[in-house]
Amino acid sequence: MQLLSKTFHGLEDILAQELKEIGAQNIVTHKRAVAYEGDKAMMYRANMALRTALNVLMPIKEFTIENQNDFYEQVRAIDWGQYFKVRKTILVNATANSPIFDHSHFLELRTKDAIADYFSDKAGRRPNVDKENPQVRIDVYLSNNNCTISLNSSGEALFKRGYRAHHGQASLNEVLAAGMVLKTGWKGQNELVDPFCGSGTILTEAALIAANIRPGSYRTQFGFEHWNDFDRKTLELVQEEDDQKKIEVPILGVDNSPRQIGFSKANIQGAFLQKYIAVQTGDFESVQGEDERGTIITNPPYDKRVKTHEIDRLYRRFGDHLKQQFKGYDAWVLSGNDHAIRNIGLKTNSRTVLFNGPIETRLCEYKLF
Ligand SMILES: C[S@@+](CC[C@H](N)C(=O)[O-])C[C@H]1O[C@@H](n2cnc3c(N)ncnc32)[C@H](O)[C@@H]1O
């Protein structure tokens, strides 16, 4: 079957590589999405294993439309009863980039009406909409005249891993944090340090990678469990493919906010990773490289509301500290403040544009000699 996963800008290649590793076929990268093929087990495996996918969609119909009525008729003509029962609660999520529907909300309403009318005809009743915790999610994508209707096999977005107890003030999205770590190539081969660890997202996602723990193993439910064709045996077999390993290197985080360190501890415990990750309250200057080789992956503050000279000074101090205390390490710094990051004062080895929500950021790599 055809499948599609959405991701963030800049992570398409990483997601394609992840798909290759789990055995997906005919992988094609698009803007903020990757298309691929696989059987039902692949769909379940993708939901369990992918770190940089926001969801796993199964397209069920592609068509072109000339007007709003065409859209309604095409959606109503889908045999919805083949996919789920009328007693399931539903929610439609639409993205519209078309003069035919200039509001995605209206597209969602028309989709919901068409599905409700289909079930009224066939079953004499309509499915209820649940905005908080729907059992079946339907995804609509309209670009000019071209429309794709998909079922979302993930349910809640896959960045909601299920381990997080607290969000920090500026917590990274789990998918972005995992994508950063995968881009660095760190898989547990040397010490990892995050000197601005906040709520611990980078540390936790890195430990999941090093221990080969699939992010889906924390989830209690996936959307596909509400579909007519749900196959528990296949899901159990995919769950049994688990191949965790021990982490042999230290993973360490500091943050100067005790509150953030409290969040970190709760999140790390939520993922059962406290035996691998140590966090403590302190200034970034309180940690030094303890080894000949190591990796720093971090996301310092870049709040543009903070006075420029203070942010510039913080980055200058950080650059000096890296040079003096982390010789032999590779440092990867994600920042949304282009001006501030120049104050690190180190030669940039590589630079990748990533989006942290709406904020354009750069992941800069430095080799420390
Ligand atoms: C952008 S946030 C990091 C968010 C983190 N990646 C997460 O996912 O939760 C930056 C963090 O740097 C911390 N911070 C600011 N100045 C610091 C300093 N001098 N030393 C250590 N931490 C500092 C803040 O408390 C904040 O938690």
Side-chain angles (χ1 to χ4, degrees), residues 71 75 80 84 89-95 104-116 128-131 134 136-141 149-150:
F71 175 79
V75 177
W80 292 99
F84 60 91
T89 57
I90 64 167
L91 188 67
V92 180
N93 173 57
T95 311
S104 51
H105 182 58
F106 190 51
L107 192 55
E108 287 166 359
L109 279 178
R110 289 309 283 156
T111 310
K112 192 257 308 166
D113 289 345
I115 299 171
N128 289 327
V129 171
D130 182 342
K131 291 191 174 153
V136 174
R137 289 174 193 252
I138 296 110
D139 188 276
V140 180
Y141 177 71
I149 308 284
S150 307

Side-chain angles (χ1 to χ4, degrees), residues 170-172 195-199 201 255-257 260 282-284 299 301 314:
S171 298
L172 282 177
F196 299 92
C197 72
S199 64
T201 322
D255 196 287
N256 68 357
S257 155
Q260 295 294 324
D283 191 89
F284 67 82
N299 166 222
L314 178 86

Side-chain angles (χ1 to χ4, degrees), residues 65-73 100-102 106 110:
I65 55 169
E66 294 304 326
N67 53 47
Q68 295 188 356
N69 199 47
D70 277 353
F71 175 79
Y72 170 86
E73 293 299 340
I100 301 172
F101 282 92
D102 43 12
F106 190 51
R110 289 309 283 156

Side-chain angles (χ1 to χ4, degrees), residues 191-246:
E191 181 189 35
L192 180 77
V193 183
D194 180 354
F196 299 92
C197 72
S199 64
T201 322
I202 295 173
L203 301 170
T204 308
E205 290 296 323
L208 294 182
I209 290 168
N212 208 22
I213 298 173
R214 297 183 294 177
S217 58
Y218 299 97
R219 300 251 309 196
T220 50
Q221 196 157 77
F222 292 103
F224 58 70
E225 293 178 48
H226 291 285
W227 297 1
N228 293 349
D229 72 349
F230 173 50
D231 180 349
R232 188 168 295 284
K233 186 81 202 128
T234 301
L235 177 60
E236 282 167 5
L237 289 173
V238 168
Q239 283 166 333
E240 282 165 20
E241 289 168 0
D242 220 27
D243 182 23
Q244 300 190 11
K245 55 186 188 201
K246 269 186 155 168

Side-chain angles (χ1 to χ4, degrees), residues 277-293:
I277 308 174
V279 289
Q280 63 197 44
T281 306
D283 191 89
F284 67 82
E285 288 178 339
S286 64
V287 272
Q288 286 104 36
E290 301 284 347
D291 247 317
E292 284 181 11
R293 296 248 171 280

Side-chain angles (χ1 to χ4, degrees), residues 51 103 120 243:
R51 300 177 196 279
H103 283 295
S120 273
D243 182 23

